[in-house]
Amino acid sequence: MMATLLVFLAGCGREEISTLIPAGEVAQDQFNLLILSSIIMLFVIIVVSIIFVLAIVKFRRSKMGEDMIPEQVEGSARLEFLWTAVPIVLLLILAVPTVYSTFDLADVSTMDVQAEDGTSSNLTVNVTAKLYWWEFEYPEQGIVTSQELVVPTDERVYFNLISADIKHSFWIPSIGGKLDVNPENVNTFYLTFDQQSSELEDGVFYGKCAELCGPSHALMDFKVKSVDREEFDQWVTAMQSEEPAAVEGDLALQGEELFGADGLSCIACHATSGVGEGNIMQGPNMATFGDRNRVAGYLEHNEENLKNWIADPQEYKPGNLMPAAASLNNGEELTEQELDALAAYLMGLTVEE
Amino acid sequence: MDINQKYTPQSWPDHPETATMEGKNKFIGFWLLLAAETVTFATLFATYLALKDKGPSGMEFSAAGLFELPLVFAMTMILLTSSLTSVYAMYHMKNHNFKAMQAWLGITVLLGATFLGLEIYEFNHYLHLGFGFTNSAFSSAFYVLVGTHGAHVLFGLSWFIALMLRNAKRGLNMYNAPKFYLASLYWHFIDVVWVFIFTVVYLMGVIG
Amino acid sequence: MSSIAQKKGFGATIWDFMTTVDHKKIAILYLISGGFFFLVGGIEAMLIRIQLAKAGNDFLSAGLYNEIITMHGTTMIFLASMPLLLAFMNAIMPLQIGARDVAFPFLNSLGFWLFFFGGIFLNLSWFMGGAPDAGWTNYASLALASEGHGIDFYTLGLTISGFGTLIAGINFLVTIINMRAPGMTYMRMPLFTWTTFVASALILLAFPPLTVGLFFMIFDRLFNSSFFVVEMGGNTIIWEHLFWIFGHPEVYILILPAFGIFSEIFAIFSRKRLFGYTALVFATILIGFYGFMVWAHHMFTVGLGPTANAVFALATMIIAVPTGIKIFNWLLTIWGGSISFTVPMIYAVAFIPSFVAGGVTGVMQAIAPLDYQLHDSYFIVAHFHYVIVGGVVLGILAGTHLYWPKMFGTMLSEKLGKWTFWFFFIGFHLTFFIQHFLGLMGMPRRVYTFGADQGWDLFNAISSAGAVFMAIGVIILLVNVVMTTIKNERVGNDPWGDGRTLEWAIPSPPPFYNFAQTPLVRGLDTFWIEKMDGNKKGMIFAEPLGDIHMPNNSIIPFVISLGMFIASFGALYFLDGDKPWALAVLIIGLLITFGSMLVRSLKDDLGFYITKEELLEDAKGGKTDGH
């Protein structure tokens, strides 16, 4: 009994990622379609099952007698009509919301609506998928972040998706269905976030890549922080400040130097300021690294994991494009102390209080 | 079926290509193969249309600028004529007139070879302009579509020649009549495909 | 040719199979090689389930995992399911229509050997630098970026085996159109023949787009063209279209023959004529027809726009109607019958709920907006395994038991067969039912690992446990085959006792010329009609006993295929630059292929005759050998 119950409860999955616990209007619509179609399909299954069970119970040869030759019935036009017509009716019931919803979810006509001051009244995020990480550009706000998408709740957020290399697919299961991220064209859709992610156990929604894109496809996760509009605006303002966050402590200062052009030149690929345009830098933006929820998108957010990751990225995300630390350090492995310094510096990069 | 049986125009059946079970099977099987070929070319056409004029940014080639109609029109006429001559060949095959059939097939082969020669000249011309196979998606799609047709022409020519040589001494019988018939059917198919290439690639290309 | 029974040596038997043009022997070749690839694909499946048994498992590396899922899918679809079905089509369909062989026995052999060498070529990738790793769908951007030669093994191997399948398809179509016995009208053909017919038509029209797509991919990877290279103006979505224009009909190429096998089983083991035969035939044709109009439902999330998505969603839903018609007609066939629960019948009965479950999730995925959630998640993995395992594989297992006596003259053990069934059936539902929920809980497909923080541990563990049951079932089947072969208890014409169609009217296995006299068909289920009329011979004859014309054996199909196999290695290594021998290998291979084709066309091959006297001798109990 307990085991069954456990299975049933686990059936809903985690609220950060389950489509069965929708946290946005789009996912809710899709969930409703799931329930509607499940009910109709359950009806079909029950009808078939009843006929099926009756047939195999009633007409066993042990009951009918070994030598019995059944009547060789040819068929029945009336029955054929019945089981052609009824499914058509059931499908019509499904077809109406299908067509409605298909057009509704693809409706991005309000995307470019402008407020009186000429700014866009809706938030648009340009998403660029790269080998095993995600970049989020907020063109109106002039800021860029990566791996963690920050969005306001209770309004439509529009997404422009494009891939910089291989085809990926953008999916936040509890917020709404996926859309492919193609290398040749921009795909556009919208989502709404009805729940603040701070209410979740992990504090973020989980996003996934849903299209096989190479060895680390399974690890190409991102996180979504949904906050109310006010907090979102504060975050944008913090991101927009050109002034880099003050680096505190000797260790972190040493890390900053290592990170910079005179050290390992990490900065050649990783910007540390959130201001800028998307799809320019080769590596993820580090401006909010200290605020993140995961290292490399999936490892627990602590210095130990960060150091391991920097020392040997291929070990943790096979096939990713970040060079091994030794290759930037004249072939020598980084010392424990250097790794500590880098970790301290990166963990200090934050725009939140 | 006896391969050594001698026929006269009187004893020769009206439809020698389907007079035997083997012939009937080949006849239907070949039509089905042509159905598959049609799908193949349809796929190539669709791809070509999708990739027409598509290339790296700043590509200098376009269908309107590249293709010139006079040569292609001449090629079209030559191939159409060769289709007609193969019809004459089949007319004589059905009348059991082996020599006339061989002669008309010979003309067909000559016309086909001329077509192929002109196509090679045309490709060579494009290559000299810098429009090579690896130039762009457009060039890849163009060469694969037109080249696949060219390969079919080559195969059709080889087939005709092999049949003519193999049977030169022994004349028509119920065993090789279906083969001649199918080769000519194949030739018509190639011709029809070319008409589509002429229209879709060249005419629509030049007009824009 | 001699009419004296001869015990052949091992070498002679091998040579016989390499040169045979007899549809029944080619069927055995398909069965053995399809079975072999089924085991290979099964082992790959087990490796996948071991890797996913727990969160964060490191049993397989990420790259190796991708190779294994790619090869599992490719092997199961192209090298296991299809050849196993082709085995039954070859073994049974000509018998069902009263033919002495297929229309083109030589091409039949060529089709097999092309498939075989293509399959071997593809699997050699494991030992030659790594298998393909872009999924069985081989989407273009990933495939072009894939390092090594794995993808080239995929494209070249599938091209070769695809030619083989296309040839088989044309052959069956012509056979059914031209070679039916007198009286065997289209509407008297057994359902398995009908499904073979429609599936062959689908092969004919669906394989060319795949072949073209594969050629584009070969050109892009080996000869620097730019069909799918975005910077050069290419478009990767073209690949998706071509693949699915093939890929969706392919699903029906697999399921329709399985439907055919089940139709035969329901009728035989209920002792009842198929209910609504006409409706079943038209439903088959309709399914085949619709199969070509729904490919974009595999691409709902690509961004084709709402109009395309809505149209393809509705088109897809319509397919549920003919499929439903089939299900209900089968139910009404067993209704009022006298059901004997033999192993084939148990599979057929179990197929109904399993396939209905797979069908309804298919309709759910046809709802485009809902599919945005389900697509590329474990829900779709569950769905297509319900359709393909619950439909096709159950059909193949049922067919194996049903037709084993007709193919080999001895019956598989019913007892072991039931053990196989229960292990396999329970394991199947245990493995895949729960994957629906994993998908709904947000688990994407094709992930080599998952974190402990996603809440998917328990269900994955259950799924992996189910896979073990399936494996046990398959092992018992192998034991069954070995024991049956060793015991070798011979059976008569109609070992199940209730056979209805022509194949059960002749000896098991049939003589190499099938029918000494061509039968005259008086109606649907002609053998049943004769039995009910008390005709002891099981059929009436359309012709007096006379000489029979038979085709000669030939090694040429084997050599043609071998040439293409060799040429493929040349093409594969051609552009490596550091392998000057590659061009030579390519040319030698092509010379072998075209040379043997030339030999074939220049050499007259008129076959031979079995005389009336030999047939009479044979009928008395002597054994006629074909050589």
Side-chain angles (χ1 to χ4, degrees), chain C residues 283-351:
Chain C
T284 306
I285 297 171
L286 270 182
I287 291 175
F289 182 71
Y290 287 143
F292 280 100
M293 324 205 155
V294 296
W295 80 87
H297 69 217
H298 298 267
M299 301 166 62
F300 279 151
T301 65
V302 167
L304 301 176
T307 314
N309 280 1
V311 168
F312 278 98
L314 297 182
T316 305
M317 287 180 183
I318 293 174
I319 294 188
V321 177
T323 314
I325 291 175
K326 281 185 159 266
I327 298 281
F328 285 110
N329 277 304
W330 285 324
L331 286 174
L332 267 282
T333 301
I334 61 175
W335 189 274
S338 165
I339 305 170
S340 163
F341 285 99
T342 58
V343 172
M345 188 60 168
I346 295 178
Y347 277 113
V349 164
F351 147 80

Side-chain angles (χ1 to χ4, degrees), chain A residues 12 21 41-42 57 95 108 110 117 125 139 159 163 181 197 264 272 281 301 315:
Chain A
C12 298
I21 312 170
M41 293 308 146
L42 216 56
V57 170
V108 289
T110 51
D117 57 358
V125 181
F159 294 92
S163 164
V181 185
S197 58
L264 302 169
T272 52
M281 300 300 275
H301 195 69
E315 165 76 17

Side-chain angles (χ1 to χ4, degrees), chain A residues 19 167-171 173 177-182 208-213 217, chain C residues 69 134-137 139 142 240 244 297-302 365 370-384 435-436 438-440 442-447 456:
Chain A
T19 67
K167 182 181 173 99
H168 304 277
S169 191
F170 178 84
W171 188 27
K178 59 190 75 64
L179 186 61
D180 287 357
V181 185
N182 298 326
K208 290 273 171 191
C209 173
E211 182 67 60
L212 180 62
C213 54
H217 160 60
Chain C
I69 55 161
W136 87 283
T137 51
Y139 274 15
L142 182 58
E240 295 184 35
W244 287 118
H297 69 217
H298 298 267
M299 301 166 62
F300 279 151
T301 65
V302 167
Q365 283 163 132
L370 178 54
D371 185 65
Y372 302 159
Q373 285 285 25
L374 307 178
H375 178 79
D376 267 350
S377 76
Y378 255 79
F379 192 91
I380 185 80
V381 177
H383 159 72
F384 68 65
Q435 290 184 357
H436 292 111
L438 278 173
L440 293 172
M443 182 166 170
R445 77 191 271 206
R446 291 169 166 171
V447 289
W456 305 330

Side-chain angles (χ1 to χ4, degrees), chain A residues 19 72 80 178 184 294, chain C residues 236 329 375 440 453 500:
Chain A
T19 67
Q72 303 291 306
E80 299 290 347
K178 59 190 75 64
E184 53 266 286
R294 291 285 191 280
Chain C
T236 62
N329 277 304
H375 178 79
L440 293 172
D453 56 354
R500 306 177 70 84

Side-chain angles (χ1 to χ4, degrees), chain B residues 119-141:
Chain B
E119 183 154 87
I120 291 168
Y121 167 81
E122 185 205 356
F123 279 12
N124 197 34
H125 172 67
Y126 296 147
L127 282 178
H128 277 292
L129 295 176
F131 187 68
F133 181 60
T134 58
N135 173 269
S136 58
F138 172 40
S139 73
S140 302

Side-chain angles (χ1 to χ4, degrees), chain C residues 558-573:
Chain C
F558 181 89
V559 179
I560 292 177
S561 312
L562 182 68
M564 291 192 72
F565 178 73
I566 294 170
S568 299
F569 283 107
L572 186 90
Y573 290 115

Side-chain angles (χ1 to χ4, degrees), chain C residues 85-99:
Chain C
L85 291 167
L86 286 172
F88 298 131
M89 294 181 189
N90 258 307
I92 303 303
M93 183 274 287
L95 305 180
Q96 285 195 328
I97 61 172

